[in-house]
């Protein structure tokens, strides 16, 4: 069966076509800057590459472009759209309702709309993508896969904030957590690599990319995660502050910062970018730090320190930990960063093997020393494949 996966952002549409259950990739592509005169589209198939630049006034135009690329007689991947057996969509926020992937119908669309306020940047374009895709693909079954769903198992002790109950009951303010498709994917993969049943392992999964989060997994289920009501909480990220004293927000508000400027400050101008005053990219910062840039070095130290703190906290939460997993662009490739994070954690039973660490750049494997009580894994994530698997499982 051919399964098409969509990840629809505010101005970009990513897509990937899989042959399932073989899990081979038949096509992958991206439409960028939808709504602009200089939009661009790209698709790669085993038969070649298509690259286009042209104005795309809106989402329907973006989808029409994807259709024409998929059906391209020379470099396309399909003869007719009806070759697609099912379609999976990434949806960032599922609120409290969705604990797993769901078949898409009108009622589900209303459910996604109901949590627009909790994810104003993500859910509206996710829903537009779903609507456009349903319009284009007609009766082909479609599935929504939520970034929050894996964290549905988090207990109330970990998901409630210590504010009056009515803010939870009336406004649904609680920890939801994100990157669920990735945390679940690498957790299942790790259990497989350890030769263990997926519901028998206790893990700490570190998804470290431009957005980053850590999850504590007990017997295969998420029991705590660093992101909260929104993806702003937790780790230091490329441009997000992560945890900070909420008092800072009142202080700045009294100094004249309004809601919009605070939102921009903490989501877009903080994190590695804010600390270094130069870049949100770990690779750039590592080069700058090596060349003597002390702000870049401090940014990397603070980034690593925050992750170390969360790992320590989750060791305490889980008590017994089988493995720590690194994934995401930084987790998979950043051997220096992994070493910085795990430095001096031997008393907790966490000891890295420097050589194995350095030889695992973007490849899956174990990187702990022989005397490390807790195993340490690098596992490349594949959120699109996770969505394709769920979609296939639910529709085949
Ligand atoms: P996104 O969250 O946007 O998907 P990625 O998962 O691609 O982001 O991660 C991007 C981050 O990964 C950047 O900070 C980049 O510097 C970092 N990264 C990629 N390769 C390396 C590397 N070899 N060493 C250190 N960091 C790396």
């Amino acid at each position: 069966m051919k399964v098409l996966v969509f990840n629809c952002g505010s101005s970009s549409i990513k897509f990937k076509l899989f042959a399932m259950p073989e899990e081979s990739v038949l096509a992958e592509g991206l439409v960028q800057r939808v709504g602009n005169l200089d939009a661009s589209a790209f698709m790669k198939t085993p038969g070649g590459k298509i690259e286009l630049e042209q104005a795309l006034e809106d989402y329907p135009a973006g989808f029409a472009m994807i259709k024409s690329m998929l059906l391209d007689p020379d470099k396309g991947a399909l003869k007719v759209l009806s070759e697609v057996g099912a379609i999976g969509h990434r949806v960032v926020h599922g609120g409290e309702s969705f604990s797993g992937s769901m078949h898409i119908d009108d009622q589900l669309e209303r459910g996604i709309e109901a949590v627009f306020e909790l994810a104003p940047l993500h859910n509206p374009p996710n829903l537009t993508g779903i609507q456009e895709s349903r319009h284009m693909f007609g009766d082909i079954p479609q599935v929504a896969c939520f970034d929050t769903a894996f964290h549905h198992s988090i207990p109330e002790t970990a998901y409630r904030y210590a504010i009056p109950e009515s803010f939870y009951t009336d406004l649904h303010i609680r920890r939801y957590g994100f990157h669920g498709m990735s945390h679940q994917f690498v957790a299942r993969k790790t259990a497989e690599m350890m030769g263990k049943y997926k519901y028998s392992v206790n893990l700490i999964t570190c998804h470290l990319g431009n957005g980053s989060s850590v999850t504590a997994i007990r017997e295969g289920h998420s029991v705590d995660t660093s992101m909260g009501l929104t993806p702003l909480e937790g780790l230091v990220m490329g441009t997000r502050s992560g945890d900070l004293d909420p008092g800072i927000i009142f202080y700045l508000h009294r100094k004249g910062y309004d809601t919009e400027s605070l939102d921009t400050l903490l989501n877009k101008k903080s994190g590695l970018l804010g600390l270094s005053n130069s870049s949100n990219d770990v690779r750039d910062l590592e080069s700058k730090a090596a060349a003597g840039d002390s702000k870049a070095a401090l940014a990397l130290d603070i980034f690593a320190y925050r992750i170390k703190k969360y790992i320590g906290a989750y060791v305490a939460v889980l008590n017994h930990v089988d493995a720590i997993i690194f994934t995401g662009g930084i987790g998979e490739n950043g051997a220096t960063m992994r070493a910085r994070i795990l430095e001096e954690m031997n008393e907790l039973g966490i000891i890295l093997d420097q050589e194995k660490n350095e030889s695992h750049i973007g490849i899956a494997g174990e990187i702990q020393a022989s005397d490390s009580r807790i195993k340490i894994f690098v596992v490349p994530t594949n959120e699109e494949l996770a969505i394709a698997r769920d979609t296939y499982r639910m529709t085949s």
Side-chain angles (χ1 to χ4, degrees):
M1 185 203 270
K2 291 183 177 129
V3 173
L4 183 57
V5 171
F6 281 116
N7 182 354
C8 298
S10 57
S11 65
S12 71
I13 308 168
K14 283 191 203 152
F15 63 98
K16 210 160 181 175
L17 181 69
F18 291 89
M20 300 299 284
E22 306 86 312
E23 303 189 345
S24 52
V25 178
L26 304 174
E28 63 185 304
L30 171 69
V31 176
Q32 274 176 304
R33 295 188 294 281
V34 177
N36 285 286
L37 288 174
D38 64 342
S40 66
F42 167 83
M43 187 180 81
K44 196 170 74 180
T45 62
K49 264 188 200 170
I50 302 176
E51 278 172 286
L52 300 164
E53 280 197 22
Q54 70 177 71
L56 289 174
E57 61 179 313
D58 52 17
Y59 243 71
F63 266 82
M65 174 66 81
I66 292 171
K67 176 178 166 181
S68 73
M69 290 196 293
L70 284 170
L71 296 176
D72 186 274
D74 294 332
K75 296 173 184 163
L78 300 169
K79 291 210 164 45
V80 285
L81 284 188
S82 57
E83 279 177 55
V84 176
I87 298 167
H89 293 266
R90 179 181 193 181
V91 180
V92 166
H93 217 306
E96 292 207 281
S97 317
F98 305 120
S99 59
S101 298
M102 300 287 291
H103 284 284
I104 294 172
D105 56 15
D106 294 348
Q107 198 186 342
L108 189 94
E109 283 193 12
R110 285 196 295 277
I112 294 171
E113 207 170 345
V115 288
F116 268 14
E117 278 188 342
L118 294 176
L121 297 180
H122 297 105
N123 271 35
N126 292 162
L127 182 60
T128 307
I130 286 173
Q131 289 167 333
E132 208 44 54
S133 169
R134 288 181 78 193
H135 182 66
M136 181 169 285
F137 290 91
D139 290 338
I140 297 172
Q142 310 214 17
V143 170
C145 301
F146 299 95
D147 264 343
T148 48
F150 181 57
H151 301 301
H152 215 255
S153 44
I154 293 179
E156 195 164 5
T157 321
Y159 75 63
R160 284 283 297 278
Y161 292 107
I163 55 177
E165 188 191 23
S166 59
F167 287 85
Y168 169 55
T169 48
D170 301 347
L171 294 175
H172 311 289
I173 294 178
R174 53 161 284 181
R175 175 180 315 287
Y176 290 97
F178 299 89
H179 291 141
M181 298 304 292
S182 176
H183 288 292
Q184 183 174 19
F185 180 88
V186 299
R188 299 294 182 256
K189 180 79 189 169
T190 305
E192 201 182 294
M193 288 164 75
M194 293 172 80
K196 298 228 172 157
Y197 177 49
K198 62 184 175 180
Y199 295 126
S200 73
V201 283
N202 283 11
L203 308 170
I204 297 173
T205 48
C206 306
H207 176 107
L208 311 177
N210 274 317
S212 297
S213 63
V214 188
T215 295
I217 296 172
R218 177 178 288 126
E219 296 179 348
H221 299 285
S222 169
V223 291
D224 203 354
T225 192
S226 58
M227 284 179 167
L229 172 78
T230 74
L232 184 54
E233 194 180 346
L235 302 181
V236 174
M237 305 183 214
T239 62
R240 294 186 196 129
S241 63
D243 294 339
L244 43 74
D245 177 355
I248 294 170
I249 298 170
F250 316 140
Y251 179 79
L252 290 176
H253 186 61
R254 289 187 194 109
K255 290 232 171 247
Y257 284 77
D258 63 10
T259 312
E260 280 311 307
S261 55
L262 283 167
D263 195 323
T264 307
L265 172 74
L266 299 178
N267 274 303
K268 306 241 168 77
K269 295 187 174 169
S270 295
L272 292 172
L273 176 65
L275 285 165
S276 67
N277 203 18
S278 61
S279 173
N280 64 333
D281 188 292
V282 165
R283 260 174 311 187
D284 283 354
L285 293 173
E286 285 180 346
S287 321
K288 285 177 202 271
D293 180 336
S294 61
K295 286 185 197 161
L298 180 67
L300 293 168
D301 279 343
I302 295 175
F303 180 86
Y305 178 72
R306 185 80 54 88
I307 300 164
K308 181 195 279 279
K309 259 190 4 181
Y310 268 94
I311 291 174
Y314 288 167
V315 170
V317 166
L318 294 170
N319 192 20
H320 172 82
V321 180
D322 294 298
I324 296 169
I325 295 103
F326 286 94
T327 193
I330 303 162
E332 291 163 25
N333 304 301
T336 312
M337 180 51 75
R338 292 191 299 245
R340 202 189 290 251
I341 295 164
L342 298 180
E343 213 170 29
E344 294 187 2
M345 294 184 89
N346 52 309
E347 290 287 332
L348 286 181
I350 303 166
I351 309 168
L352 196 64
D353 180 298
Q354 299 299 343
E355 259 178 45
K356 286 187 194 158
N357 181 39
E358 273 155 37
S359 65
H360 283 81
I361 310 292
I363 50 167
E366 292 184 30
I367 57 170
Q368 77 280 355
S370 56
D371 53 346
S372 182
R373 198 158 26 83
I374 298 178
K375 287 182 184 288
I376 308 164
F377 281 84
V378 174
V379 180
T381 195
N382 193 336
E383 286 158 297
E384 293 90 359
L385 178 57
I387 294 170
R389 283 181 183 167
D390 264 21
T391 304
Y392 176 70
R393 179 178 53 77
M394 292 176 62
T395 56
S396 60

